[in-house]
Amino acid sequence: MQEEVLAITAARETRSLATDARLTSETWRSEAQFHQLLEKLPAGAYTCDPDGLITYFNQHAVALWGRAPQLNDPVDRWCGSFKLFAPNGAPISHDRCWMALALEQDREFNGHEIVVERPNGERITALAHANPIRDAAGTLVGAVNVLIDISDQKRSEEILRQADSAKNEFLATLAHELRNPLAPIRNAIEVMNLKGELTPDLRRALDIIDRQVKQMSRLVDDLIDVARITGNKFELKKERLDLATVVSAAVETSRPVIDTYGHVLTVAMPGEPVALEGDLTRLAQAVANLLNNAAKYTPHGGTISVRAEGQGSEAVIFVRDTGVGISPDMLPRVFDMFTQATASPHAQRDGLGIGLTLVRRLVELHGGTVAALSAGLGQGSEFVIRLPVAESASPLNGSRATRSKYPVLDLRILVADDNPDSATSLGMLLRILGSDVRIAHDGDEALRTAAEFQPHVMLLDIGMPKANGYEVAKRVRTSDWGRPIVLIAVTGWGQKTDRERSREAGFDHHLVKPVDASELIAMLASLKETTVAPNAVA
């Protein structure tokens, strides 16, 4: 009996040893197959045990690290033995790397950027994908980390970022240089308008110049707006609006362009107020761009219609024309940068191909959408803007400021600008309106003249020689005689950073060339009745 028991026990032990051997063999085969799989990956891959000690790595990992870890060295085997950094350059401690966190928290960490410093000091950026490894029983036995080298991608992104920054800087400089000659032209137009009666031929010529200056100003503004939006530097001044106000403002802006082409414009407003939360200027700009586009791509004497209505939770604006239409292959691309809206040889090709891009960006910034529709070439086109209706119960801003006749200005004004035409034409305009005006062409001359003249207002260009507008403003503000003077920057630089610098230098207002005469005159007229607080840069 005892012998039988011993035999059974021996048999059980033999079967147990055989089972253990089979499991060990299966585990080895499974691990070997896993390693073979990792070797085939086009990325760095390595495994570690539950303590974070590296147990295996493929050749791509060696290439990424710059060397192979020493598996006989417990310190070098640790997954954090290589110098690791976050994308912002902050060091990552050994116990905070993705592999360590995957083990510590027993969960996946995928798609995280990590920077590995090679022995020669070179840094490689990689996407880390760390995952725990469990055995058949579900026990955590280690982790695997896959590192995808994205250094070339990051370098390309940096090159693109630098190129985009250079592009935006170029556009800002271009806008400044283009605005400078536009300023005296606009001033000269206002002077001629105020001088008295003009012959019909001179009046027509003056109207042509005025329209072309406005067109040039619009193109410059479009360039800057695109740079601001693509650089995420665009700010909206939102208020509660009536949809009809937006459409009316757009029609007012585009009416001269539409009339120039001899088109018939029909406007249909909603039967009751439709509330929006938005920037009136920018929403009107978006609709006006569509109207201008319709005028440009519609043969002379066509029909353009704009219809606005409320549709449930949306405010919808339809702009339709009887123009050249859009081909099916062009429809998906009409809102792309520098794309002309049609390939028709009959279309007017003026413009930069950025108007529709601006429309889309401006509408999207308001939480809306814009779509283009056309049955094909020669079939006209329709653009549809959809905007969310406002839920606020605050009063609607349903009116626009109307221009009144220019008042008489009885002010002492110093105009400082190194562009003689710009300074002279602005001085002529202000003198016609009753002001005592002095002219300066550089910063030093502006300071000397101001100390003697004691002006109520100084209109300062920024980019003057000897002392720029910022320096002049700072020196005026530090003098006893200069503290009460109203300082207005009149410049071709109109970026947000330029306005901030103006405020810091002591300017009260910041106007961008070519200045709207009615805006400037209204601002100056208000100085006779109110006190303007310093540093309230407009």
Side-chain angles (χ1 to χ4, degrees), residues 84 91-101 104-105 114:
L84 305 176
I92 296 178
S93 61
H94 296 173
D95 58 348
R96 294 293 94 186
C97 70
W98 303 127
M99 177 74 91
L101 292 176
E104 176 187 312
Q105 301 179 21
I114 195 167

Side-chain angles (χ1 to χ4, degrees), residues 164 167-168 171 222-231 330 332-341 352-361:
D164 187 63
K167 176 205 69 178
N168 291 339
L171 290 177
D222 282 354
L223 282 172
I224 295 302
D225 285 344
V226 167
R228 287 172 179 167
I229 293 175
T230 56
M330 184 65 71
R333 300 189 290 117
V334 293
F335 294 105
D336 293 345
M337 185 82 74
F338 306 124
T339 297
Q340 295 288 353
L352 302 174
I354 61 178
L356 291 180
T357 302
L358 268 178
V359 171
R360 180 179 63 182
R361 299 291 177 86

Side-chain angles (χ1 to χ4, degrees), residues 66-378:
R67 68 173 178 84
Q70 302 300 312
L71 298 185
N72 59 354
D73 183 344
V75 175
D76 207 39
R77 281 184 65 191
W78 199 15
C79 70
S81 60
F82 292 92
K83 291 183 178 179
L84 305 176
F85 301 87
N88 63 4
I92 296 178
S93 61
H94 296 173
D95 58 348
R96 294 293 94 186
C97 70
W98 303 127
M99 177 74 91
L101 292 176
L103 288 168
E104 176 187 312
Q105 301 179 21
D106 191 14
R107 67 183 183 90
E108 299 178 357
F109 283 85
N110 292 328
H112 294 276
E113 285 189 17
I114 195 167
V115 178
V116 180
E117 184 174 287
R118 289 173 166 174
N120 62 1
E122 180 185 8
R123 294 188 177 184
I124 301 298
T125 303
L127 278 182
H129 303 267
N131 292 268
I133 300 175
R134 299 177 182 82
D135 61 15
T139 303
L140 181 68
V141 295
V144 59
N145 197 14
V146 176
L147 300 173
I148 301 175
D149 188 349
I150 59 171
S151 301
D152 288 342
Q153 175 186 328
K154 299 299 288 187
R155 282 190 287 269
S156 297
E157 289 175 357
E158 177 60 20
I159 291 173
L160 289 174
R161 188 195 65 78
Q162 292 178 0
D164 187 63
S165 176
K167 176 205 69 178
N168 291 339
E169 184 176 348
F170 168 76
L171 290 177
T173 303
L174 176 64
H176 173 264
E177 295 302 320
L178 291 175
R179 280 169 172 159
N180 274 332
L182 289 176
I185 297 174
R186 174 168 281 183
N187 293 337
I189 292 171
E190 296 297 337
V191 168
M192 295 177 70
N193 281 326
L194 292 171
K195 268 299 186 179
E197 293 296 326
L198 299 173
T199 66
D201 286 344
L202 286 178
R203 170 57 59 192
R204 282 194 294 271
L206 194 60
D207 289 343
I208 291 172
I209 296 172
D210 190 31
R211 283 196 299 271
Q212 296 307 312
V213 168
K214 289 178 179 177
Q215 171 72 356
M216 189 67 179
S217 299
R218 185 181 66 82
L219 292 175
V220 172
D221 290 340
D222 282 354
L223 282 172
I224 295 302
D225 285 344
V226 167
R228 287 172 179 167
I229 293 175
T230 56
N232 294 320
K233 297 178 180 178
F234 199 88
E235 294 184 356
L236 298 177
K237 297 178 180 178
K238 289 188 175 183
E239 57 182 327
R240 186 171 165 83
L241 304 168
D242 183 10
L243 176 60
T245 305
V246 174
V247 176
S248 296
V251 169
E252 177 185 336
T253 300
S254 299
R255 176 73 73 172
V257 178
I258 295 171
D259 290 345
T260 298
Y261 288 100
H263 301 317
V264 175
L265 175 66
T266 61
V267 181
M269 295 294 194
E272 57 185 22
V274 179
L276 301 172
E277 285 289 342
D279 186 317
L280 174 59
T281 300
R282 296 309 182 179
L283 285 176
Q285 178 185 1
V287 179
N289 276 5
L290 292 182
L291 289 170
N292 292 341
N293 209 60
K296 181 171 65 174
Y297 287 105
T298 299
H300 188 87
T303 299
I304 298 172
S305 67
V306 55
R307 184 174 90 256
E309 61 186 43
Q311 293 183 358
S313 61
E314 291 183 327
V316 189
I317 304 170
F318 303 87
V319 176
R320 180 177 295 176
D321 63 62
T322 58
V324 297
I326 307 171
S327 61
D329 62 318
M330 184 65 71
L331 268 176
R333 300 189 290 117
V334 293
F335 294 105
D336 293 345
M337 185 82 74
F338 306 124
T339 297
Q340 295 288 353
T342 177
S344 169
H346 304 293
Q348 299 292 327
R349 304 296 290 180
D350 59 316
L352 302 174
I354 61 178
L356 291 180
T357 302
L358 268 178
V359 171
R360 180 179 63 182
R361 299 291 177 86
L362 290 172
V363 170
E364 289 176 347
L365 285 173
H366 285 84
T369 61
V370 60
L373 307 170
S374 178
L377 292 178

Side-chain angles (χ1 to χ4, degrees), residues 231-519:
N232 294 320
K233 297 178 180 178
F234 199 88
E235 294 184 356
L236 298 177
K237 297 178 180 178
K238 289 188 175 183
E239 57 182 327
R240 186 171 165 83
L241 304 168
D242 183 10
L243 176 60
T245 305
V246 174
V247 176
S248 296
V251 169
E252 177 185 336
T253 300
S254 299
R255 176 73 73 172
V257 178
I258 295 171
D259 290 345
T260 298
Y261 288 100
H263 301 317
V264 175
L265 175 66
T266 61
V267 181
M269 295 294 194
E272 57 185 22
V274 179
L276 301 172
E277 285 289 342
D279 186 317
L280 174 59
T281 300
R282 296 309 182 179
L283 285 176
Q285 178 185 1
V287 179
N289 276 5
L290 292 182
L291 289 170
N292 292 341
N293 209 60
K296 181 171 65 174
Y297 287 105
T298 299
H300 188 87
T303 299
I304 298 172
S305 67
V306 55
R307 184 174 90 256
E309 61 186 43
Q311 293 183 358
S313 61
E314 291 183 327
V316 189
I317 304 170
F318 303 87
V319 176
R320 180 177 295 176
D321 63 62
T322 58
V324 297
I326 307 171
S327 61
D329 62 318
M330 184 65 71
L331 268 176
R333 300 189 290 117
V334 293
F335 294 105
D336 293 345
M337 185 82 74
F338 306 124
T339 297
Q340 295 288 353
T342 177
S344 169
H346 304 293
Q348 299 292 327
R349 304 296 290 180
D350 59 316
L352 302 174
I354 61 178
L356 291 180
T357 302
L358 268 178
V359 171
R360 180 179 63 182
R361 299 291 177 86
L362 290 172
V363 170
E364 289 176 347
L365 285 173
H366 285 84
T369 61
V370 60
L373 307 170
S374 178
L377 292 178
Q379 302 298 311
S381 60
E382 183 178 40
F383 289 83
V384 183
I385 292 177
R386 295 182 178 275
L387 298 164
V389 170
E391 298 179 357
S392 171
S394 58
L396 288 174
N397 179 358
S399 62
R400 288 172 60 90
T402 57
R403 296 184 180 182
S404 58
K405 291 184 178 180
Y406 292 157
V408 174
L409 299 177
D410 183 17
L411 295 169
R412 295 191 304 276
I413 302 176
L414 172 62
V415 177
D417 196 320
D418 63 330
N419 184 318
D421 288 341
S422 183
T424 300
S425 59
L426 183 55
M428 290 172 61
L429 174 61
L430 296 173
R431 288 190 181 103
I432 291 174
L433 295 173
S435 290
D436 184 5
V437 181
R438 301 288 176 87
I439 304 291
H441 296 298
D442 62 59
D444 287 351
E445 183 183 3
L447 286 167
R448 291 195 304 270
T449 305
E452 173 192 349
F453 184 43
Q454 300 283 299
H456 298 108
V457 181
M458 293 179 69
L459 300 172
L460 301 175
D461 182 34
I462 297 298
M464 293 185 294
K466 297 186 179 179
N468 64 34
Y470 299 130
E471 295 168 348
V472 172
K474 290 177 181 177
R475 290 164 66 178
V476 168
R477 287 295 181 226
T478 57
S479 65
D480 292 336
W481 54 265
R483 278 190 283 272
I485 295 176
V486 176
L487 299 181
I488 302 175
V490 181
T491 174
W493 299 105
Q495 299 279 44
K496 180 181 178 182
T497 53
D498 302 320
R499 296 177 185 276
E500 291 173 348
R501 287 192 65 186
S502 292
R503 183 182 298 107
E504 293 169 358
F507 280 99
D508 298 296
H509 299 279
H510 185 113
L511 300 179
V512 179
K513 295 178 180 178
V515 175
D516 186 314
S518 61
E519 179 183 359

